[in-house]
Coordinates of all heavy atoms in Angstrom, one line a residue:
E1409 N -43.7 -55.5 100.5 CA -42.6 -56.1 101.3 C -41.9 -55.1 102.2 O -41.1 -55.5 103.1 CB -41.5 -56.7 100.3 CG -41.2 -58.1 100.5 CD -40.4 -58.6 99.3 OE1 -39.8 -57.9 98.5 OE2 -40.4 -59.9 99.2
M1410 N -42.1 -53.8 102.0 CA -41.4 -52.8 102.8 C -42.2 -52.3 104.0 O -41.9 -51.3 104.6 CB -40.9 -51.7 101.9 CG -41.9 -50.8 101.4 SD -41.2 -49.4 100.4 CE -41.2 -50.1 98.8
E1411 N -43.3 -53.0 104.3 CA -44.2 -52.4 105.3 C -43.6 -52.6 106.7 O -42.9 -53.5 107.0 CB -45.6 -53.1 105.3 CG -46.4 -52.8 104.0 CD -46.4 -51.4 103.5 OE1 -46.7 -50.5 104.4 OE2 -46.1 -51.1 102.4
H1412 N -43.9 -51.6 107.5 CA -43.7 -51.6 109.0 C -44.7 -52.7 109.6 O -45.8 -52.9 109.1 CB -44.0 -50.2 109.5 CG -43.7 -50.0 111.0 ND1 -44.5 -50.4 112.0 CD2 -42.6 -49.4 111.6 CE1 -44.0 -50.1 113.2 NE2 -42.8 -49.5 112.9
H1413 N -44.3 -53.3 110.7 CA -45.2 -54.3 111.3 C -46.6 -53.7 111.6 O -47.5 -54.4 111.6 CB -44.6 -54.7 112.7 CG -43.3 -55.4 112.5 ND1 -42.4 -55.7 113.6 CD2 -42.7 -56.0 111.4 CE1 -41.3 -56.3 113.1 NE2 -41.5 -56.5 111.8
A1414 N -46.7 -52.4 111.8 CA -48.0 -51.7 112.0 C -48.9 -51.9 110.8 O -50.1 -51.8 111.0 CB -47.8 -50.3 112.4
N1415 N -48.3 -52.1 109.6 CA -49.2 -52.3 108.4 C -49.1 -53.7 107.9 O -49.4 -54.0 106.8 CB -48.8 -51.3 107.3 CG -49.9 -51.1 106.3 OD1 -51.0 -51.3 106.6 ND2 -49.5 -50.7 105.1
I1416 N -48.7 -54.6 108.8 CA -48.7 -56.1 108.5 C -49.6 -56.8 109.5 O -50.6 -57.5 109.1 CB -47.3 -56.7 108.5 CG1 -46.4 -55.9 107.6 CG2 -47.4 -58.2 108.2 CD1 -44.9 -56.4 107.7
V1417 N -49.3 -56.6 110.8 CA -49.9 -57.5 111.8 C -51.4 -57.2 112.0 O -52.1 -58.2 112.1 CB -49.1 -57.3 113.1 CG1 -49.7 -58.2 114.2 CG2 -47.6 -57.6 113.0
P1418 N -51.9 -56.0 111.9 CA -53.3 -55.8 112.0 C -54.1 -56.6 110.9 O -55.2 -57.1 111.2 CB -53.6 -54.3 111.9 CG -52.3 -53.7 112.3 CD -51.2 -54.7 111.8
W1419 N -53.5 -56.7 109.7 CA -54.1 -57.4 108.6 C -54.1 -58.9 108.8 O -55.0 -59.6 108.5 CB -53.5 -57.0 107.3 CG -53.6 -55.5 107.1 CD1 -52.6 -54.6 107.0 CD2 -54.9 -54.7 107.0 NE1 -53.1 -53.3 106.9 CE2 -54.5 -53.4 106.9 CE3 -56.2 -55.1 107.0 CZ2 -55.4 -52.4 106.8 CZ3 -57.1 -54.1 107.0 CH2 -56.8 -52.7 106.9
Q1420 N -52.9 -59.3 109.4 CA -52.8 -60.8 109.7 C -53.9 -61.2 110.8 O -54.5 -62.2 110.7 CB -51.4 -61.1 110.3 CG -50.4 -61.1 109.2 CD -49.0 -61.3 109.8 OE1 -48.7 -60.9 110.9 NE2 -48.1 -61.9 109.0
L1421 N -54.0 -60.3 111.8 CA -55.0 -60.6 112.8 C -56.4 -60.8 112.2 O -57.2 -61.7 112.6 CB -55.0 -59.6 113.9 CG -53.8 -59.5 114.8 CD1 -53.8 -58.3 115.7 CD2 -53.8 -60.8 115.7
M1422 N -56.8 -59.8 111.4 CA -58.1 -59.8 110.7 C -58.2 -61.0 109.8 O -59.3 -61.6 109.7 CB -58.3 -58.5 110.0 CG -59.0 -57.5 110.8 SD -60.6 -58.0 111.4 CE -60.4 -57.8 113.1
A1423 N -57.1 -61.3 109.0 CA -57.2 -62.4 108.1 C -57.5 -63.7 108.8 O -58.2 -64.5 108.3 CB -55.9 -62.5 107.3
E1424 N -56.9 -63.9 109.9 CA -57.1 -65.1 110.7 C -58.6 -65.2 111.1 O -59.2 -66.3 111.1 CB -56.2 -65.0 112.0 CG -55.6 -66.3 112.4 CD -54.5 -66.0 113.4 OE1 -54.8 -66.1 114.6 OE2 -53.3 -65.8 113.0
E1425 N -59.2 -64.1 111.5 CA -60.5 -64.0 111.9 C -61.5 -64.2 110.8 O -62.5 -65.0 110.9 CB -60.8 -62.7 112.6 CG -62.1 -62.6 113.3 CD -62.3 -61.3 114.0 OE1 -61.4 -60.8 114.7 OE2 -63.4 -60.7 113.8
I1426 N -61.2 -63.6 109.6 CA -62.2 -63.5 108.6 C -61.9 -64.5 107.5 O -62.8 -65.0 106.8 CB -62.3 -62.1 108.0 CG1 -62.8 -61.1 109.0 CG2 -63.1 -62.0 106.7 CD1 -62.8 -59.7 108.7
G1427 N -60.7 -64.8 107.3 CA -60.3 -65.8 106.2 C -60.0 -65.2 104.9 O -60.0 -65.8 103.9
F1428 N -59.7 -63.8 104.9 CA -59.3 -63.3 103.6 C -57.8 -63.5 103.5 O -57.1 -64.0 104.4 CB -59.6 -61.7 103.5 CG -58.9 -60.9 104.5 CD1 -57.6 -60.4 104.3 CD2 -59.6 -60.4 105.6 CE1 -56.9 -59.6 105.2 CE2 -58.9 -59.6 106.6 CZ -57.6 -59.2 106.4
T1429 N -57.2 -63.2 102.3 CA -55.8 -63.6 102.0 C -55.0 -62.3 102.0 O -55.4 -61.3 101.3 CB -55.7 -64.3 100.6 OG1 -56.6 -65.4 100.7 CG2 -54.3 -64.7 100.3
L1430 N -53.9 -62.3 102.6 CA -53.0 -61.2 102.6 C -51.9 -61.5 101.5 O -51.2 -62.5 101.6 CB -52.3 -61.1 104.0 CG -51.5 -59.8 104.3 CD1 -52.4 -58.6 104.1 CD2 -50.9 -59.9 105.7
R1431 N -51.8 -60.6 100.6 CA -50.8 -60.7 99.5 C -49.8 -59.6 99.7 O -50.0 -58.6 100.2 CB -51.5 -60.5 98.1 CG -52.5 -61.6 97.8 CD -52.1 -62.3 96.6 NE -53.1 -63.4 96.3 CZ -53.0 -64.7 96.7 NH1 -51.9 -65.0 97.4 NH2 -53.9 -65.6 96.4
V1432 N -48.6 -60.0 99.2 CA -47.4 -59.1 99.4 C -46.7 -58.8 98.1 O -46.2 -59.7 97.4 CB -46.4 -59.7 100.4 CG1 -45.3 -58.7 100.7 CG2 -47.1 -60.1 101.7
A1433 N -46.7 -57.5 97.7 CA -46.0 -57.1 96.5 C -44.5 -56.9 96.8 O -44.1 -56.3 97.8 CB -46.5 -55.8 96.0
P1434 N -43.6 -57.5 96.0 CA -42.2 -57.5 96.3 C -41.5 -56.2 96.0 O -42.1 -55.3 95.3 CB -41.7 -58.6 95.3 CG -42.6 -58.6 94.2 CD -44.0 -58.2 94.8
I1435 N -40.3 -56.0 96.5 CA -39.5 -54.8 96.1 C -38.4 -55.3 95.1 O -38.1 -56.4 95.0 CB -38.9 -54.1 97.4 CG1 -38.0 -55.1 98.1 CG2 -40.0 -53.6 98.2 CD1 -37.1 -54.4 99.1
L1436 N -37.8 -54.3 94.5 CA -36.7 -54.5 93.6 C -35.4 -54.3 94.5 O -35.5 -53.8 95.6 CB -36.6 -53.5 92.5 CG -37.8 -53.5 91.6 CD1 -37.9 -52.3 90.6 CD2 -37.8 -54.8 90.7
D1437 N -34.3 -54.8 94.0 CA -33.1 -54.8 94.8 C -32.7 -53.3 95.3 O -32.1 -53.2 96.3 CB -31.9 -55.4 94.1 CG -32.1 -56.9 94.0 OD1 -32.9 -57.5 94.8 OD2 -31.5 -57.5 93.1

Side-chain angles (χ1 to χ4, degrees):
E1409 236 169 15
M1410 72 178 88
E1411 297 313 310
H1412 186 279
H1413 295 165
N1415 200 23
I1416 302 173
V1417 183
W1419 303 115
Q1420 286 176 329
L1421 288 169
M1422 266 302 123
E1424 221 165 90
E1425 188 179 314
I1426 293 173
F1428 65 81
T1429 305
L1430 192 57
R1431 296 240 177 267
V1432 184
I1435 59 165
L1436 300 169
D1437 287 339

